[in-house]
Amino acid sequence: MNCIYQLNHLTSTNMRHIIPFVGAFLLLAMTACEFVPDPSVSVYPETLEIPAAGAGEKISVSAVGEWKAFPSYGRGEPIQRFFLISPPKGVGKAEVFVAFDANPFFDERRAEIVFECTSGEKTNTVKIPVVQKAADPVCEFIDWQEIRVPADGGTFSAVISVNFLWWLELDAEDVSFSRDKAIALGTTEVTFTVPANPTHQDRTICVTTHLFGCEEALHAYQFTQSGY
């Protein structure tokens, strides 16, 4: 009888020690199952310089958690978005390909590629600055021909192609011009109005094209007017 009592007492005592241990173990296991690592993302390269002609660039991504990539053009979010990201999202490590369009403007283009990594309710963000070089300046008449205006005056038109704010300079004060529309990129028709020749001799009028901010003329053209 004493042996049975001692056995029961021993078992009861051990159980009092075992049950708390098992409970603590289960609690630890449940906590481990709910652990969510902090998100992190790193990229290479950390900056991009793109030629005006456009290019394709690869970006290596290493992340803990899900990530997504998207462009940021800053204030205004211009209508002309100039690169495409593929794939735009993923998990862990990956290579992202970015295709850049050619820059038609006589001005640099700037933007950022944003990588956001999410794990649980936390987010980690990395931004890659992007600078695309400006195109070569364009301000030229694409259909200029040899032109001779009669002595009593007249008008003629020519189409100009530009990629920035532009203006024309004429070396005859009495000759004027007007344009079909105000543009900074593309083509427009320019109409020249030439009054009667104030002299009895033929005269040659020079037209030069300019972009704002450029000291020198880009191109020079000329036409003649008959004398009386």
Side-chain angles (χ1 to χ4, degrees):
M1 191 68 180
N2 289 337
C3 292
I4 295 175
Y5 169 79
Q6 291 178 1
L7 180 60
N8 289 338
H9 178 73
L10 180 60
T11 304
S12 176
T13 301
N14 290 341
M15 287 299 293
R16 284 198 300 269
H17 290 286
I18 291 173
I19 290 175
F21 174 78
V22 171
F25 177 79
L26 291 174
L27 180 62
L28 181 62
M30 291 173 63
T31 303
C33 292
E34 295 175 358
F35 173 74
V36 178
D38 288 339
S40 67
V41 58
S42 59
V43 295
Y44 182 84
E46 296 180 350
T47 61
L48 289 176
E49 293 187 3
I50 309 301
E57 296 287 342
K58 287 184 178 180
I59 300 174
S60 297
V61 184
S62 181
V64 175
E66 297 180 353
W67 57 265
K68 61 180 179 179
F70 54 90
S72 174
Y73 296 95
R75 288 191 298 176
E77 288 286 325
I79 295 175
Q80 186 183 17
R81 293 168 170 79
F82 61 94
F83 59 89
L84 183 65
I85 304 168
S86 180
K89 60 182 178 180
V91 179
K93 292 185 178 181
E95 273 198 342
V96 171
F97 183 77
V98 187
F100 291 89
D101 297 335
N103 184 4
F105 299 99
F106 181 55
D107 204 2
E108 284 186 346
R109 296 199 288 197
R110 294 178 178 270
E112 291 178 330
I113 302 175
V114 182
F115 286 85
E116 282 188 358
C117 180
T118 303
S119 181
E121 297 181 354
K122 297 181 180 180
T123 299
N124 181 240
T125 301
V126 171
K127 298 179 180 180
I128 297 179
V130 175
V131 178
Q132 185 173 29
K133 291 184 177 180
D136 291 334
V138 176
C139 188
E140 60 184 336
F141 287 99
I142 58 178
D143 62 346
W144 191 274
Q145 300 177 1
E146 184 176 343
I147 299 164
R148 189 174 185 87
V149 180
D152 57 355
T155 63
F156 68 92
S157 298
V159 176
I160 193 170
S161 175
V162 297
N163 68 349
F164 198 66
L165 300 175
W166 59 281
W167 55 284
L168 302 179
E169 183 177 14
L170 293 84
D171 65 354
E173 294 183 358
D174 59 338
V175 178
S176 62
F177 70 91
S178 61
R179 46 189 173 185
D180 179 52
K181 54 186 176 181
I183 62 167
L185 176 67
T187 59
T188 190
E189 187 175 69
V190 179
T191 299
F192 295 88
T193 300
V194 186
N197 192 338
T199 72
H200 295 285
Q201 299 178 342
D202 290 357
R203 64 171 178 166
T204 299
I205 293 95
C206 183
V207 180
T208 54
T209 65
H210 302 259
L211 293 182
F212 282 101
C214 295
E215 295 182 1
E216 298 182 0
L218 290 179
H219 299 281
Y221 305 85
Q222 63 182 28
F223 63 90
T224 59
Q225 183 178 23
S226 300
Y228 286 102

